[in-house]
């Protein structure tokens, strides 16, 4: 059996954090947490249910007048202290994240830095953010008052969990909301650091609460609770559809960042070396477990054979290994259930395309959820591996002849999260960027994101946008106040003539 590197300070139990205290589930239930290298339990986590969610909502409601009453700059100071506390735990956070999710340690370190930056960014946003006023001549002025929605429900995924939690925690707190975070059950370890981070930063007790558990239980209870008017969810499209249906009963405000099957379009005039670097990194980094992965590579036929051969050669050389090894480029997939799902798609792909790289467990890794990065060529547009999100280190490659065909193939999927375009003709790049059905497009770029920009997709990839001021809008209600400045001249219905 593989023996994973165990980071120092690893807990054996992970409890809820409600009202500023670490507590077990009301009914005492727990679930095992596995590491993806040995697939053996290393800890137990509290298994939350409706009663635990109700306790967390009560704590969040009690804290709401306190936290929402902070001036924007006061909240910004707390957010900056949270960022300081994250940075002070940089090494342990990266080690926890890598151990729990199978993410290579070199990439986990980047996630820790990004999480701290999210809090600093929203601290700046909330201080600088103004409110609007409108003047109607000399007769009236109208102004907008922005107020926090209330208790926010945050449901986060298992890939890069700590960083993606920070994407929601930072703007929710910046806006003055209190919240309940429900982390993914497969990767709860790094979330166990939030309580000490929040306490050290001086966040009022109950402003942020954490309920662990299974999605169908704890997550469902959070979605169903009438005291939670807002749900922010990142995860699968099927789960997003279910949450939308459940949220309709209480007319909740929802934001959904869902699945993706993003195209990377490579034209013959592109810088092929740069495009190759981007394609390899974009689909195989983070173990391929990323929503914005360019998992469909569309290549102009003039360079199709060359580019596909080079992609396959690079995939075979990607270093797969122990997530704790700094040299590792692809680690272990997160959980045995997900590993089996990805392997099933590999078998489907053998029937639907031409396997030109990977497709098997690396020979030096007898156990653990490991897969050599896998490339299928000559994949038809109706193939399952072309249409369905695999969420692993697997890519489908197909040729195109004309620009219109490239756009048609790019849009020939239910998803629309991201797209990547590689060409030296920037006019064409802009044309395709506007024609591709996706929420985000990168031209000659590899998923470098400015935190000020909106993040989200179209079609089956999501509902709404978060990021920058869009996040503050989501976690806030806007009220318009109209004030007369002069004499009021209202038609006098019913008055004596």
């Amino acid at each position: 059996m593989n023996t994973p590197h165990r980071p120092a300070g690893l807990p054996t139990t992970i409890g809820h954090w409600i009202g500023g205290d670490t507590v077990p589930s009301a009914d005492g239930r727990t679930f095992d947490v596995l590491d993806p290298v040995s697939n053996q339990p290393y800890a137990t986590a509290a298994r939350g249910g409706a009663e635990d969610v109700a306790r967390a909502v009560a704590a969040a409601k009690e804290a709401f007048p306190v936290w929402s009453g902070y001036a924007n700059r006061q909240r910004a100071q707390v957010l900056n202290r949270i960022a300081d506390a994250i940075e002070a735990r940089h090494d342990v956070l990266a080690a926890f994240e890598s151990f729990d999710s199978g993410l290579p340690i070199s990439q986990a370190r980047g996630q820790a830095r990004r999480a701290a930056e999210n809090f600093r960014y929203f601290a700046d946003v909330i201080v600088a953010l103004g409110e609007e006023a409108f003047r109607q001549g000399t007769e009236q002025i109208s102004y907008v008052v922005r107020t926090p929605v209330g208790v926010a429900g945050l449901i986060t995924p298992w890939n890069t969990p700590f960083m993606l939690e920070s994407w929601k925690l930072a703007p929710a707190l910046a806006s003055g909301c209190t919240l309940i975070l429900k982390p993914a059950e497969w990767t709860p370890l790094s979330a166990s650091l939030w309580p000490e981070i929040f306490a050290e930063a001086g966040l009022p007790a109950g402003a942020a609460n954490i309920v662990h558990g299974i999605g169908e239980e704890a997550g469902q209870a959070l979605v169903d609770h009438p005291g939670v008017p807002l749900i922010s969810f990142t995860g699968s499209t099927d789960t997003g559809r279910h949450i939308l249906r459940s949220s309709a009963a209480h007319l909740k405000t929802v934001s959904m960042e869902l699945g993706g099957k993003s195209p990377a379009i490579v034209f013959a005039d592109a810088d092929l070396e740069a495009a190759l670097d981007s394609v390899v990194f974009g689909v195989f980094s983070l173990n391929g477990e990323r929503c914005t992965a360019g998992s469909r590579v569309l290549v102009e036929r003039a360079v199709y054979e060359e580019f596909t051969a080079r992609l396959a050669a690079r995939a075979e050389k990607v270093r797969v290994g122990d997530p704790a090894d700094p040299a590792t480029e692809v680690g272990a997939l997160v959980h045995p259930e997900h590993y089996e799902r990805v392997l099933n798609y590999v078998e489907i792909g053998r029937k639907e395309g031409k396997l030109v790289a990977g497709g098997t467990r690396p020979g030096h890794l007898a156990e653990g959820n490991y897969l050599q990065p896998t490339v299928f060529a000559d994949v038809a547009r109706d193939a399952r591996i072309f249409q369905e999100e695999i969420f692993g280190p697997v890519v489908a490659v197909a040729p195109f002849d004309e620009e219109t065909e490239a756009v048609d193939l790019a849009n020939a999927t239910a998803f629309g999260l991201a797209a990547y375009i590689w060409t030296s003709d920037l006019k064409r790049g802009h044309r395709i960027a506007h024609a591709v059905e996706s929420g985000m497009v990168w031209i000659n770029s590899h998923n470098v994101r400015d935190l000020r920009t909106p993040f989200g997709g179209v079609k089956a990839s999501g509902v709404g946008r978060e990021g920058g001021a869009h996040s503050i809008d989501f976690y806030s209600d806007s009220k318009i106040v109209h004030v007369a400045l002069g004499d009021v001249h209202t038609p006098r219905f019913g008055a004596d003539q």
Side-chain angles (χ1 to χ4, degrees), residues 24 109 199 219-220 243 277 286 389-390 408 412 442 450 463 472:
R109 292 191 180 111
Q220 186 69 57
I243 290 174
D277 287 344
L286 308 183
E389 185 176 41
I390 298 173
D408 183 53
W442 282 267
D450 189 315
V463 176
I472 304 300

Side-chain angles (χ1 to χ4, degrees), residues 67 148 152 154 167-179 471-472 475:
W67 180 243
L154 314 180
W167 275 22
K168 300 181 188 299
L169 289 165
L173 291 172
S175 301
C177 290
T178 56
L179 60 91
S471 290
I472 304 300
Y475 292 103

Side-chain angles (χ1 to χ4, degrees), residues 17 82 86 115 119 161-163 165-166 169 181 190-199 210:
W17 196 56
I82 290 172
I86 292 171
F119 280 92
F162 192 90
M163 192 273 290
E165 288 158 8
S166 77
L169 289 165
L181 168 67
S190 58
S192 69
L193 295 174
W194 285 119
E196 64 182 46
I197 289 171
F198 290 147
I210 302 172

Side-chain angles (χ1 to χ4, degrees), residues 14-324:
I14 300 171
H16 308 307
W17 196 56
I18 299 175
D21 294 320
T22 300
V23 296
S25 292
D27 59 10
R29 292 190 305 161
T30 63
F31 64 94
D32 288 336
V33 186
L34 315 181
D35 77 79
V37 172
S38 71
N39 285 324
Q40 296 300 306
Y42 70 85
T44 59
R47 183 167 178 163
E51 186 173 350
D52 304 295
V53 167
R55 287 191 295 166
V57 173
K61 283 187 172 182
E62 184 177 353
F64 180 72
V66 176
W67 180 243
S68 63
Y70 277 36
N72 286 354
R73 187 168 295 280
Q74 286 180 288
R75 290 203 296 272
Q77 289 168 344
V78 175
L79 264 61
N80 275 314
R81 291 198 296 267
I82 290 172
D84 292 340
I86 292 171
E87 289 175 343
R89 291 163 176 79
H90 178 270
D91 289 337
V92 66
L93 171 56
F96 276 20
E97 199 81 310
S98 177
F99 177 82
D100 198 29
S101 68
L103 189 68
I105 187 65
S106 59
Q107 296 167 43
R109 292 191 180 111
Q111 302 305 312
R113 287 191 295 270
R114 188 69 160 181
E117 179 58 26
N118 283 328
F119 280 92
R120 296 204 189 283
Y121 170 74
F122 281 104
D124 292 341
V125 167
I126 200 63
V127 170
L129 193 65
E131 293 173 329
E132 297 174 294
F134 308 89
R135 187 172 64 179
Q136 295 90 54
T138 59
E139 297 179 355
Q140 184 164 283
I141 188 168
S142 306
Y143 63 91
V144 176
V145 177
R146 187 190 300 272
T147 59
V149 170
V151 177
L154 314 180
I155 304 175
T156 52
W158 46 257
N159 61 317
T160 62
F162 192 90
M163 192 273 290
L164 290 180
E165 288 158 8
S166 77
W167 275 22
K168 300 181 188 299
L169 289 165
L173 291 172
S175 301
C177 290
T178 56
L179 60 91
I180 297 96
L181 168 67
K182 193 287 183 186
E185 57 263 34
W186 284 353
T187 54
L189 178 59
S190 58
S192 69
L193 295 174
W194 285 119
E196 64 182 46
I197 289 171
F198 290 147
E200 184 176 304
L203 185 70
N209 305 273
I210 302 172
V211 176
H212 293 281
I214 310 304
E216 293 82 353
E217 298 169 356
Q220 186 69 57
L222 186 57
V223 171
D224 289 342
H225 199 292
V228 181
L230 178 150
I231 297 290
S232 177
F233 170 75
T234 299
S236 74
T237 298
D238 286 344
T239 302
R241 289 192 180 102
H242 177 79
I243 290 174
L244 277 171
R245 287 192 293 268
S246 298
S247 297
H250 297 291
L251 296 178
K252 298 193 177 192
T253 301
V254 296
S255 175
M256 302 277 171
E257 196 267 285
L258 306 176
K261 193 70 177 176
S262 301
I265 306 170
V266 181
F267 284 91
D269 67 348
D271 180 336
L272 294 185
E273 189 67 22
L276 181 64
D277 287 344
S278 177
V279 166
V280 172
F281 181 83
V283 74
F284 298 140
S285 63
L286 308 183
N287 298 345
E289 297 165 330
R290 61 187 305 164
C291 57
T292 56
S295 55
R296 293 181 299 139
V297 180
L298 314 177
V299 185
E300 192 169 9
R301 196 175 299 275
V303 294
Y304 176 75
E305 295 296 336
E306 174 194 351
F307 192 88
T308 302
R310 293 175 66 185
L311 174 58
R314 288 280 293 274
E316 292 286 4
K317 293 178 181 177
V318 170
R319 292 187 290 273
V320 183
D322 182 357

